Amino acid sequence: MQSKKLENTLNAEKVEQSQILIVDDQLSLLLSLQALLRINGYQVELARTGSEAITKLQDNKYELLLLDLQMPGIDGLEVLEFVREAKLDLETIVVSGDTSFPSIKESMRLGAYDFIRKPYNPEELLETVRRGVEHYHRERESLTASQSLSESEQFHRYIVNSSPDFIYMLDTEGVFTYVNDMVEDLLGYKRNELLGKHFSSIIHPHNAAECHHFFREQRAGDRATRSAEMRLLVNQSSDLVKSFDNYELIIELNATGVYENDDTGKRVFIGTLGSARDISARKRSEEHISFQAYHDLLTQLPNRILFDDRLNQALAHARRNRQKFAILFMDLDRFKLINDTLGHAMGDLVLQRVSERILDYLRAEDTLARFGGDEFCLLLPDIPHKESVASVAEKILKAVRQPFSINNHELYLSMCVGIAIYPAAGETGETLLRSADMAMYHVKENGKDGYCFYSDSMKSDSHFLTPEHDLSSAIEKRQFQVFFQPKVDPGNHEIVGMEALLRWQHPERGLLYPEDFLAAAESSKLMVTLGIWVLRTVCEEMVRWQQQGIPPVKVSLNVSLIQLKEDDFAEHFIQILQEFNLSSALFAIEITERGLNNGETEVVKQLRILRDFGVSVTIDDFGRGHSSLSYLQNLPVNTLKIDRSFVREIEENPDRTCIADGIAMMAKGLKLNVVGSGVENLFQLDYLRNLGCHEVQGYLYSAAISAQEAMALLQNCPAEGPHFTLPH
């Protein structure tokens, strides 16, 4: 719907110099937001807690509040309640990872202007902040204009007609006796078209009878209508209707009965005074937030949360009506190869095309969901027999086998499909999903590209449950390999280090990556044994490099939190280095941010022992966890590695800033080195170099390569030092 616009335009300098308060208990997010907004000219202050925010709000003047909902102590909703009760003159934008619809709806009810979901898109955040500040100044300039008018009939007319709300007066029979100018903008009616007409002419026919009662409110005081939602009809014969979004208007109604005393002093009802506010944009925003909470944003398919809800409904319906339904667990074959060779952007396009093809063969009542990565799950309710499910599976497999032509690449794909039918394969949602997963692994183990129904024989065969069944034997049979990815100085393209990366050459499933087996290794406690094997293998390889006359190269190893919790981890690590007579300065360990934020005493102790011995410590995938300046200050950390997802956001847009900027600024303040991972193009390389990154790694230089290939690479140009030559 259209809304009334003020004629005056805002001064850009005035907007950018606005005072903004950011409230969040995650310090890294605070600092990155502060850097992002300050770069764009805003004045920014920070608060770590709800109580600190309230104190600053009481003592200072702000135009905009960026507020997290989930905080210890006083949370974001309580801060919003304070802002509303104190009638503070500012706009609020919620920036939160809490995407539950009730929380967002409650924040809007408490007066929030807009909502941004974590992790946020920097460009979207800046645009939302700009709109919020602009809205603040427009509202205040309108208020200033109204306050400058005298207390006269002209003043009251200005207030009513400049209101963004549709204001009306009804007589005792429900006939319009007054409507303000806003009725034309909101509903497409001229004022004289409604005057003298009954209010029912604009009430949507689907509204319940009580909505008519609300619109023609006769009660007054505390019992009068407050914030009642209803729909009004738009004038379809109006020339303005073409510019409207819909033929109905969703409004929030406030109405009260109007009374006066007659000649006898008796209080007599004389009509209804009401105001209707257009909340269409808010409802669309709520719908958008709800969609984000229950859908995968890449494919627009339902996510795991919505799928589980549909599954529970199917279970209840099937039990009540003694019917069957099926779950199909689907996984693309060799999808990681596409990401590794053609990049993640191509991988995303493939997932979108695959989901579109599958949807072509489904009924309206079926639910296709994306569980993450290249995994999809399909719910087929009310199936007549097993053969009908097999027919759907065959159609899906045939559709996926058809070549995909994407960005001048012709791709050939296949898929593994595991099928579980209720109640034979399980009587709960969790059991059915596990059964379908087992059946899918059965297909993978038997050549891929096909489908399989779950059978009870799979239950006793742990071979299909998880990859952990043969982890131990894989170590004994030396099925694991250590690959190396070069770390490069972005200034001269010289190789300054290597990251050791684990691969499992499975005899049946092919080359497996850490995400395929590390969770199983950690849960089975084989991670400690596997970690020692990796360290020994890396040491053996580094000795080979020395024997070939290769200059010393620093190698980093990824270490699990499970390993660091072992009280003798650092001692064993040091003993192995001494056994191979290798300098500790040639080693670094990388641990994910999520492994550090709990601040376990034993973990800190092991890290400190290693750093004191000369092994450097890197936080891997920085920015993806709950960053805290306090733990960075207290931990023996040397380097922050910017997560590849943030590097991927770097684009050739001079007006756009990235989370990488904030991380680099934080590292500089803490005197830490910065490494950029996932570098795929020259623009990203130049951007990270200008940020002050000391090292980078990514497909622009090299993917992870075998030990033999790594040694050949390091032997290149030994006089100048191993290096890369990039196109200009």
Side-chain angles (χ1 to χ4, degrees):
M1 296 296 171
Q2 292 182 328
S3 60
K4 200 81 171 176
K5 294 183 178 179
L6 294 175
E7 294 181 359
N8 58 305
T9 57
L10 293 174
N11 183 291
E13 182 179 352
K14 180 179 180 182
V15 171
E16 290 185 351
Q17 291 180 350
S18 297
Q19 294 287 334
I20 299 176
L21 176 64
I22 310 175
V23 187
D24 200 300
D25 60 328
Q26 298 179 36
L27 186 59
S28 68
L29 181 64
L30 280 176
L31 294 176
S32 65
L33 271 175
Q34 184 183 47
L36 179 63
L37 293 176
R38 282 184 173 175
I39 288 172
N40 285 272
Y42 296 99
Q43 306 297 313
V44 181
E45 291 188 18
L46 308 178
R48 291 284 303 277
T49 64
S51 58
E52 183 182 359
I54 289 174
T55 300
K56 289 194 172 184
L57 287 167
Q58 289 173 324
D59 296 340
N60 301 284
K61 170 72 175 176
Y62 302 98
E63 283 89 345
L64 196 66
L65 173 66
L66 297 185
L67 179 65
D68 184 25
L69 293 182
Q70 295 180 318
M71 294 182 292
I74 297 176
D75 63 17
L77 291 176
E78 290 174 287
V79 174
L80 270 173
E81 187 72 47
F82 166 79
V83 170
R84 188 172 75 161
E85 291 181 358
K87 298 180 179 179
L88 297 183
D89 188 23
L90 53 75
E91 299 292 346
T92 301
I93 297 174
V94 172
V95 183
S96 178
D98 182 3
T99 58
S100 63
F101 186 66
S103 295
I104 304 308
K105 187 175 182 180
E106 178 64 10
S107 67
M108 289 186 167
R109 187 190 69 80
L110 291 172
Y113 169 74
D114 207 341
F115 168 82
I116 295 177
R117 176 183 183 180
K118 292 181 185 175
Y120 60 83
N121 179 300
E123 189 174 22
E124 179 187 355
L125 183 135
L126 285 172
E127 175 61 21
T128 305
V129 167
R130 185 194 64 76
R131 288 199 310 266
V133 173
E134 190 174 283
H135 182 264
Y136 169 88
H137 285 287
R138 281 205 177 112
E139 290 289 313
R140 277 61 192 178
E141 288 184 4
S142 175
L143 181 61
T144 301
S146 66
Q147 290 174 342
S148 67
L149 297 175
S150 62
E151 293 291 335
S152 63
E153 181 180 351
Q154 181 185 15
F155 167 73
H156 295 294
R157 186 179 298 116
Y158 174 82
I159 290 295
V160 173
N161 286 323
S162 297
S163 170
D165 301 339
F166 162 39
I167 298 175
Y168 66 89
M169 184 75 187
L170 303 176
D171 65 12
T172 56
E173 301 300 321
V175 172
F176 285 110
T177 60
Y178 174 81
V179 292
N180 68 340
D181 293 341
M182 186 52 65
V183 69
E184 184 172 357
D185 278 27
L186 295 181
L187 298 175
Y189 291 98
K190 300 287 186 181
R191 293 180 68 237
N192 57 9
E193 290 180 298
L194 286 185
L195 294 176
K197 283 190 176 181
H198 196 271
F199 75 89
S200 58
S201 62
I202 65 169
I203 299 293
H204 196 285
H206 292 166
N207 280 140
E210 58 265 25
C211 291
H212 287 72
H213 178 69
F214 291 151
F215 203 86
R216 191 190 176 187
E217 180 64 84
Q218 296 189 24
R219 296 169 299 181
D222 294 338
R223 299 181 61 203
T225 297
R226 294 288 182 269
S227 303
E229 291 185 13
M230 66 172 63
R231 288 180 291 174
L232 302 181
L233 291 173
V234 169
N235 181 11
Q236 297 187 30
S237 63
S238 169
D239 292 336
L240 290 174
V241 78
K242 295 178 182 178
S243 65
F244 290 168
D245 297 331
N246 207 335
Y247 291 135
E248 63 184 35
L249 179 73
I250 305 175
I251 60 137
E252 184 178 79
L253 180 71
N254 290 284
T256 183
V258 179
Y259 291 81
E260 65 178 21
N261 296 329
D262 63 11
D263 295 339
T264 64
K266 182 180 179 181
R267 195 162 174 261
V268 179
F269 172 69
I270 62 170
T272 302
L273 175 64
S275 66
R277 172 160 296 181
D278 177 9
I279 59 169
S280 303
R282 192 184 85 190
K283 298 300 287 186
R284 285 195 298 270
S285 179
E286 289 176 356
E287 290 170 2
H288 178 67
I289 292 165
S290 179
F291 184 88
Q292 287 185 320
Y294 298 110
H295 290 79
D296 168 57
L297 299 185
L298 174 65
T299 62
Q300 307 296 296
L301 295 176
N303 61 14
R304 181 64 182 268
I305 298 173
L306 182 54
F307 184 87
D308 287 345
D309 182 67
R310 300 266 178 89
L311 177 55
N312 289 333
Q313 292 179 31
L315 275 168
H317 182 78
R319 288 168 183 161
R320 186 167 56 250
N321 298 285
R322 297 185 179 181
Q323 294 176 337
K324 297 179 180 180
F325 68 88
I327 289 178
L328 283 68
F329 200 99
M330 300 176 283
D331 184 272
L332 287 172
D333 298 327
R334 296 174 293 276
F335 176 73
K336 187 167 181 60
L337 185 62
I338 294 175
N339 276 339
D340 289 346
T341 57
L342 300 178
H344 291 275
M346 176 65 77
D348 290 346
L349 290 173
V350 168
L351 292 173
Q352 290 171 339
R353 296 286 183 85
V354 167
S355 63
E356 290 168 1
R357 286 195 183 177
I358 296 174
L359 287 171
D360 286 341
Y361 294 93
L362 304 184
R363 305 168 296 177
E365 61 267 31
D366 300 334
T367 298
L368 175 65
R370 181 182 176 221
F371 277 16
D374 60 336
E375 291 182 343
F376 297 87
C377 206
L378 174 60
L379 173 64
L380 301 177
D382 191 16
I383 57 170
H385 41 70
K386 184 177 180 180
E387 289 73 18
S388 63
V389 182
S391 175
V392 174
E394 288 169 355
K395 289 177 181 177
I396 290 173
L397 289 169
K398 183 178 180 180
V400 172
R401 291 187 193 114
Q402 296 300 312
F404 290 80
S405 181
I406 306 175
N407 292 348
N408 298 321
H409 291 278
E410 192 165 87
L411 306 174
Y412 292 85
L413 304 177
S414 60
M415 177 178 275
C416 295
V417 182
I419 306 172
I421 296 181
Y422 171 87
E427 297 187 6
T428 67
E430 183 180 351
T431 304
L432 287 165
L433 283 169
R434 187 165 59 247
S435 298
D437 190 35
M438 289 186 207
M440 186 271 293
Y441 268 106
H442 184 82
V443 179
K444 281 189 175 293
E445 297 285 347
N446 288 275
K448 303 182 175 67
D449 191 18
Y451 70 91
C452 173
F453 286 90
Y454 170 81
S455 65
D456 287 338
S457 62
M458 297 177 187
K459 186 185 301 183
S460 58
D461 189 356
S462 61
H463 186 64
F464 302 120
L465 292 177
T466 64
E468 72 183 64
H469 69 280
D470 53 358
L471 273 171
S472 182
S473 63
I475 297 174
E476 295 176 4
K477 296 175 182 178
R478 300 186 69 84
Q479 293 175 356
F480 286 102
Q481 299 177 23
V482 175
F483 279 41
F484 294 89
Q485 185 175 36
K487 291 186 174 182
V488 183
D489 183 328
N492 57 19
H493 313 303
E494 182 179 346
I495 297 174
V496 293
M498 289 282 190
E499 180 180 3
L501 297 164
L502 188 61
R503 301 289 186 263
W504 182 1
Q505 188 62 56
H506 197 284
E508 297 174 353
R509 298 171 61 192
L511 190 67
L512 301 182
Y513 291 76
E515 55 263 34
D516 297 321
F517 56 82
L518 278 190
E522 290 183 338
S523 64
S524 63
K525 298 298 183 182
L526 282 171
M527 193 67 246
V528 175
T529 304
L530 195 55
I532 292 174
W533 180 87
V534 170
L535 177 59
R536 285 190 166 276
T537 303
V538 168
C539 289
E540 290 171 0
E541 198 60 33
M542 293 176 72
V543 170
R544 284 183 61 203
W545 295 347
Q546 288 183 354
Q547 293 170 347
Q548 296 297 319
I550 297 173
V553 175
K554 191 170 188 175
V555 177
S556 60
L557 302 94
N558 293 282
V559 174
S560 165
L561 187 64
I562 301 297
Q563 296 170 261
L564 284 169
K565 286 183 177 179
E566 296 289 314
D567 55 12
D568 57 356
F569 171 76
E571 180 183 349
H572 280 171
F573 195 101
I574 293 170
Q575 286 176 352
I576 292 172
L577 300 194
Q578 292 173 335
E579 177 185 335
F580 285 90
N581 195 27
L582 291 169
S583 169
S584 59
L586 294 178
F587 289 84
I589 63 170
E590 297 190 9
I591 181 169
T592 62
E593 186 180 2
R594 289 181 292 276
L596 288 173
N597 57 10
N598 293 326
E600 288 92 341
T601 304
E602 188 58 43
V603 170
V604 176
K605 177 184 175 183
Q606 298 298 314
L607 291 176
R608 205 170 294 282
I609 292 173
L610 286 174
R611 198 183 72 165
D612 290 344
F613 184 68
V615 177
S616 59
V617 179
T618 296
I619 299 181
D620 193 11
D621 297 338
F622 187 78
R624 300 291 292 176
H626 301 287
S627 311
S628 166
L629 185 60
S630 60
Y631 83 67
L632 287 178
Q633 291 173 325
N634 296 328
L635 284 171
V637 174
N638 305 91
T639 304
L640 302 182
K641 181 186 281 190
I642 302 173
D643 183 68
R644 66 180 64 245
S645 64
F646 301 139
V647 173
R648 202 178 305 149
E649 291 177 355
I650 297 173
E651 298 177 357
E652 297 188 50
N653 184 344
D655 298 325
R656 179 173 178 176
T657 55
C658 304
I659 294 176
D661 297 58
I663 295 175
M665 183 178 295
M666 180 189 298
K668 183 178 181 180
L670 294 171
K671 295 181 174 57
L672 300 177
N673 295 329
V674 184
V675 176
S677 61
V679 179
E680 297 182 357
N681 58 57
L682 290 171
F683 185 82
Q684 293 171 349
L685 176 67
D686 291 338
Y687 194 98
L688 291 173
R689 180 172 57 240
N690 292 332
L691 277 183
C693 278
H694 303 80
E695 301 172 8
V696 297
Q697 60 187 108
Y699 296 142
L700 177 64
Y701 288 108
S702 172
I705 54 180
S706 68
Q708 190 63 35
E709 291 173 309
M711 186 167 70
L713 180 65
L714 291 172
Q715 288 175 320
N716 179 42
C717 302
E720 303 174 26
H723 67 281
F724 291 95
T725 302
L726 297 179
H728 296 289

